[in-house]
Amino acid sequence: MLSLINTSSRNKGKSLIAIATLSLALGGCKDDEDDDAASSSSIASSEMAISSEAASSSEMTMSSEEASSSEMTMSSEAASSSEMAMSSEAASSSEMAMSSEATSSSEMATACAAVTDNLAVNGGAEDGLTPWGAQGATAEQSDAEAHCGSFSILVSGRTDSWNAPLINLSNFATGETYSFEVWVKMAAGEGTETVSLTVNYTDDDGNANYTGITSESVTADDWVKLSGSYTHTPTGTSTGVYAYIESASETASYYVDDMVILGAAGDDSIVYPEPDATATGGLAAGATKFLGNIIASSIPTSFGSYWNQVTPENSGKWDAVEGSRDFMNWGNLDRAYAYAKVNGMPFKGHTFVWGSQEPSWIGSLTEAEQLAEVEEWIQAYCERYDAPAENGFKHMIDVVNEPTNAPASYRDAIGGAGTTGWDWVIWSYEKARQYCPNATLLINDYNIINDAVNGSNTNSTDYETIIGLLNDRDLIDGVGFQTHAFSINGVDSWNSVTAAQIDAELDRFAVFNIPLYISELDIDDEGMDQCARYKALFPTMWEHPSIQGVTLWGYIEGQTWRNTERSGIVTAEGTEKAAIIWLREYLDGNGSAECGSDT
């Protein structure tokens, strides 16, 4: 780490002049101070020792008259009762004279002592990369260059100017001003490049905001300091706050070291909004089961008027929370959870263990490390969100997502197949039960409803086996069926599922005597009559006695994962399409409601 008073740069491994008690404003790399050896020839009553390495490598130059067989000789006139006196040729009015080579690029050596209250934890990468990450580039700890200490971050593999290392700043407080300092050096062989320090955050509306702090020309010859200040003034709350160190060159490689950020840290606790006045039960008001939807990075203003259950679309997935190892970004997940809690809605976390959207760093760990990290992730999530049920709020969690389609890559670390064939799944639920005692523990998968119908049975049979193992151990409280458009839309023979077939499949899993949920429902409006498909299938799902809730996977056109297929049921301008108009009438008790036309 480095102090904000530093004005110089220095190559790793070069010896320094060590000054013990002279009252001089000189700093030296702390690690190197311990290594520098004092010269065997000492100077009486002085406090300066100069190593032979420092002298030989031109840290200090002296004439042959000033230094012969000893490191430095001084006349009796040059050293008397003062702390040190040097001849006018060696030092005139200064405390000490150094060669122009030693001071050509700076006034003094960098001070590497740890900075108190540095918000950039491990800003010098001395303890690995945490909490550093990268976007579109490779960031790795390197000992080839270091501004201070032994390591820096080598940034390579870039193909665009925005490819850069980043550090998470989620502890920034609104209205606070922060000072930044970071050191950069181009990799060997690179030319002079412009490198910038930028802060980015996402606001309440899901918009990315960028603030440039400073830019400097950087070469491969010297370390260059980027410094400046930034005031955090987002509209509403902010999530995904990061600092980037970017090069204007799309391909240049460079080193980054010794990030220091000073300022008042924000409160990491969950911020709860005022209740939504429109959230009075939504379309399913008064029903004994919920009709929910997803929240992405921001909460649509119309959400509460339609839905009464919340699932975070992506922000609850492990890679979204812990993209950088051991550094948690809860921002968007906090927002979805807080909305559900203050408005008395069930909240379903999504998800603990899944073979997709895993943190990129998990694959490089040993199995023992993977085991520890998965448990740490589950524990951290539960400590933050596992509140008791009250006033309509209930905490639910998809513990394992898609075990039959996308099993976790690290499953061997958490039990593997084991004696049951699914020991890794059992381990996951044991940990979830341990750390989330208030939660309703769910499982979730796709191609279950249509699997047996179309003659495969592989996924649905495995799903039955897993649920049975968990149910025997009292580790599961509910079963989710995704029912995405690609498996129930009916546009070809593979997914031409009828209402009667859905009913039969739900009956098949109802024998476990635990609640069932339709967890990720969407029906396309491309190549078919969306409203007619809702009318044909939704009542069977909603009215099945074991179904305790239905969650749609998005509802605003242009904001769903199936934008091309137009799975939204409300236009981006807020106009209701025929499907949601029918849905309202049906849920209001009009079982014979007919589909109109989209306006």
Side-chain angles (χ1 to χ4, degrees), residues 468-486:
L469 291 168
L470 296 172
N471 201 34
D472 289 344
R473 292 163 172 78
D474 193 27
L475 292 173
I476 190 168
D477 305 311
V479 177
F481 303 89
Q482 289 186 14
T483 57
H484 279 298
F486 58 78

Side-chain angles (χ1 to χ4, degrees), residues 375-441:
E375 183 167 0
E376 180 185 281
W377 151 234
I378 294 173
Q379 181 178 5
Y381 174 98
C382 294
E383 288 174 351
R384 193 169 186 86
Y385 300 116
D386 190 42
E390 60 176 351
N391 301 323
F393 167 83
K394 179 171 68 172
H395 179 214
M396 314 166 77
I397 178 70
D398 288 331
V399 178
V400 176
N401 193 46
E402 301 176 1
T404 75
N405 285 287
S409 66
Y410 48 83
R411 57 190 178 277
D412 286 346
I414 58 176
T419 58
T420 66
W422 300 96
D423 279 15
W424 65 276
V425 175
I426 294 171
W427 180 93
S428 302
Y429 282 81
E430 288 173 340
K431 293 304 174 183
R433 188 70 89 199
Q434 175 184 347
Y435 293 117
C436 272
N438 297 306
T440 298
L441 304 187

Side-chain angles (χ1 to χ4, degrees), residues 307 530 534 552 555 567-571 575-577 579-580 583:
W307 320 111
Q530 183 185 49
Y534 266 100
L552 276 65
Y555 70 103
S567 65
I569 54 179
V570 175
T571 69
T575 301
E576 295 182 347
K577 295 171 63 177
I580 196 168
L583 193 58

Side-chain angles (χ1 to χ4, degrees), residues 217-290:
S217 293
V218 181
T219 71
D221 297 326
D222 295 296
W223 286 94
V224 174
K225 180 175 69 174
L226 277 63
S227 62
S229 63
Y230 164 77
T231 301
H232 191 52
T233 55
T235 301
T237 58
S238 60
T239 60
V241 189
Y242 295 96
Y244 303 87
I245 300 93
E246 307 167 293
S247 167
S249 165
E250 295 181 345
T251 60
S253 298
Y254 49 95
Y255 296 94
V256 174
D257 203 1
D258 294 326
M259 170 77 86
V260 169
I261 305 171
L262 297 179
D267 186 353
D268 188 44
S269 61
I270 299 171
V271 177
Y272 292 94
E274 291 297 316
D276 182 351
T278 70
T280 56
L283 299 178
T288 58
K289 54 189 71 177
F290 63 73

